[in-house]
Amino acid sequence: MDHHEPDGPSAVELAAIRRSLTNGRGALSRRTALRAFGVGALTVGAAAALSGCGIPPAKREGGAAAADDHSEKEKQVVFSNWTEYMDISEDNKSRPTLAEFTKRTGIKVKYTEDINDNVEFFGKIQPQLAAGQDAGRDLINVTDWLAARMIRLGWVQKLDAALLPNAYANLAPQFRRPDWDPGRAYSYPWTGISTVIAYNAKATGGKKVDSVSQLLDDPSLKGRVGFLTEMRDTVGMTLLDLGKTPGRFTDADYDEAIGRLQKGVDKKQIRRFHGNDYTSDLSKGDLAACLAWAGDVIQLQADNPDIRYAIPAPGYITSSDNLLVPAQARHQRNATRLIDYYYERPVAARLAAYINYVCPVEGVAEELAKIDPELAGNTLIVPDKAMAAKSHAFRSLSSEEEKAYEEKFAKLIGA
């Protein structure tokens, strides 16, 4: 495997990072939408940090070297997560699922909400990881593109399968084999993120909008259609509409998708390309229909009964945030036990009821129904088999592909 990292980001890639951090997923809280901008952009932002501090990239030969584990003597685990991404009591004084884990195991959890965006967080921990040192955290939760790169660099521990009976048994099939960690040897998802079509039924005159082709061609929607400034979401959904597979597309396929979108721009079918700021326009009806993140849709529907969503027949783009044990972590065994704990169905249900994102635990609906039957029946949180079968991940990109693709996408959206 080639472990070469580029010297730094191009101007176009820097612009893509800025888009994501200012109005894309990177700008959002965990309660509104997730994921930043993809595996290639990790190469962009983090490689710049690497080159800037003079630390050479590590190479992985079957994963990071095993560190001394102090779990037996030190009953603790240090867990870094995003804000509002963990259940909390009504009085805001405790985190029930973490408290139950400690009560059951005797392992205290030092829980810190110190991840605001992936690139910033990677900048905090990469000097220690690159130097083969403990980064001060036993468990971290990062988006798939960052997880992919950390695995590739050898900066995470291979997980002990013997400590993960629930995770192994209960992981939903759609999350089992990402191309960057087949079989989940190094990671387990905390939650999934889905890109769907959202529309305002009042603005469409009651018409259902359920395909990218309709977004791009329906004359009744002209000038009131939005697509996302996140390249993987917009191009991925367009690839699906063209009959392509986002996990196995070619340069020619990508160019075809860009061309398809360009026609929508040229004939003014597309009102604009948007980040998370689409929510108010959709709710007001200024946007009749658009690509949207499922977490937003759930919240918008709570306030506006006209907001609907649709899963296109060819499928939808999905990604994930993932739990990893960093290399040289001091309490690997304790961290792995905590991962497995969140794959117990009752625990997973309590978490899903609070954060309202796609739960990666198969069979959680029965437990979630005991808490909130409406949530249990929401396929944006608990995908049924039909919806899960339609999920597609955008494939990992090389640094060369990332630069070329972002340049073409930036030209399309006028960035």
Side-chain angles (χ1 to χ4, degrees):
M1 183 182 294
D2 182 8
H3 296 273
H4 171 72
E5 300 288 346
D7 292 333
S10 67
V12 170
E13 291 172 313
L14 285 171
I17 291 174
R18 285 194 295 270
R19 286 199 309 274
S20 193
L21 295 181
T22 56
N23 72 350
R25 292 184 196 173
L28 309 179
S29 76
R30 297 292 90 179
R31 296 285 288 178
T32 52
L34 303 175
R35 199 166 69 98
F37 29 86
V39 66
L42 171 60
T43 303
V44 173
L50 284 172
S51 62
C53 64
I55 298 173
K59 291 188 176 182
R60 175 167 64 86
E61 300 296 340
D68 291 337
D69 190 5
H70 300 266
S71 293
E72 190 64 32
K73 293 182 179 179
E74 299 175 5
K75 296 290 187 180
Q76 61 178 292
V77 60
V78 182
F79 183 7
S80 284
N81 204 353
W82 299 78
T83 59
E84 297 187 78
Y85 220 14
M86 177 68 73
D87 58 302
I88 192 166
S89 61
E90 291 186 7
D91 61 7
N92 293 320
K93 293 183 178 180
S94 67
R95 301 190 179 277
T97 57
L98 288 177
E100 177 61 29
F101 176 77
T102 297
K103 180 180 179 180
R104 186 192 304 180
T105 65
I107 299 169
K108 295 182 179 180
V109 182
K110 181 181 179 181
Y111 183 77
T112 307
E113 295 178 323
D114 61 346
I115 306 179
N116 294 310
D117 69 70
N118 288 283
V119 171
E120 179 187 55
F121 180 68
F122 186 69
K124 292 179 183 179
I125 63 175
Q126 62 86 17
Q128 291 82 14
L129 294 174
Q133 300 171 354
D134 178 12
R137 298 160 175 86
D138 303 306
L139 190 64
I140 62 175
N141 186 18
V142 298
T143 305
D144 45 17
W145 57 267
L146 181 48
R149 186 170 188 268
M150 291 182 68
I151 291 169
R152 186 170 69 248
L153 292 174
W155 291 355
V156 297
Q157 289 285 339
K158 191 170 185 178
L159 299 174
D160 184 349
L163 298 176
L164 294 162
N166 293 300
Y168 181 81
N170 296 339
L171 178 61
Q174 75 181 92
F175 295 104
R176 283 189 178 272
R177 294 177 180 83
D179 65 356
W180 45 270
D181 187 16
R184 293 288 182 179
Y186 297 89
S187 68
Y188 270 89
W190 180 252
T191 194
I193 309 109
S194 303
T195 303
V196 300
I197 291 176
Y199 62 99
N200 185 318
K202 184 176 181 180
T204 65
K207 179 186 291 187
K208 182 178 183 180
V209 182
D210 60 3
S211 73
V212 170
S213 287
Q214 190 176 357
L215 290 175
L216 291 172
D217 298 328
D218 188 336
S220 71
L221 302 176
K222 185 174 181 178
R224 299 186 296 152
V225 168
F227 281 79
L228 292 161
T229 55
E230 300 292 347
M231 182 266 285
R232 284 161 180 78
D233 296 309
T234 287
V235 175
M237 293 291 281
T238 306
L239 285 167
L240 285 167
D241 191 70
L242 290 168
K244 313 296 182 181
T245 303
R248 297 192 304 272
F249 66 89
T250 65
D251 287 349
D253 295 333
Y254 185 89
D255 289 344
E256 185 179 355
I258 291 291
R260 179 85 171 92
L261 291 160
Q262 186 64 56
K263 290 179 181 178
V265 172
D266 294 342
K267 65 182 182 181
K268 303 189 185 310
Q269 179 79 6
I270 298 174
R271 180 185 181 95
R272 65 188 180 96
F273 291 86
H274 54 74
N276 64 300
D277 55 340
Y278 71 90
T279 55
S280 61
D281 284 351
L282 180 63
S283 188
K284 290 185 297 183
D286 292 340
L287 282 175
C290 62
L291 293 188
W293 293 307
D296 287 339
V297 174
I298 294 172
Q299 293 178 51
L300 287 172
Q301 287 180 323
D303 298 322
N304 186 341
D306 292 320
I307 301 302
R308 315 285 170 80
Y309 77 94
I311 305 298
Y316 63 99
I317 293 294
T318 189
S319 57
S320 59
D321 276 348
N322 307 272
L323 299 171
L324 303 171
V325 178
Q328 306 304 313
R330 191 172 177 87
H331 310 103
Q332 305 101 309
R333 183 181 178 87
N334 292 345
T336 307
R337 291 181 67 184
L338 185 57
I339 294 174
D340 194 64
Y341 168 74
Y342 277 100
Y343 274 80
E344 296 179 12
R345 291 189 180 104
V347 179
R350 285 158 63 181
L351 180 66
Y354 182 81
I355 65 175
N356 292 174
Y357 285 100
V358 178
C359 181
V361 178
E362 182 82 351
V364 75
E366 183 177 347
E367 292 294 335
L368 187 55
K370 297 175 183 177
I371 302 171
D372 189 329
E374 185 175 346
L375 291 180
N378 190 328
T379 56
L380 294 182
I381 299 174
V382 185
D384 56 21
K385 289 183 179 180
M387 185 168 177
K390 290 185 174 182
S391 68
H392 296 267
F394 197 96
R395 70 170 173 82
S396 299
L397 301 178
S398 68
S399 58
E400 292 80 9
E401 287 176 321
E402 175 70 23
K403 288 182 179 181
Y405 291 175
E406 282 291 359
E407 182 175 352
K408 292 174 182 178
F409 188 69
K411 184 178 179 180
L412 167 73
I413 68 175

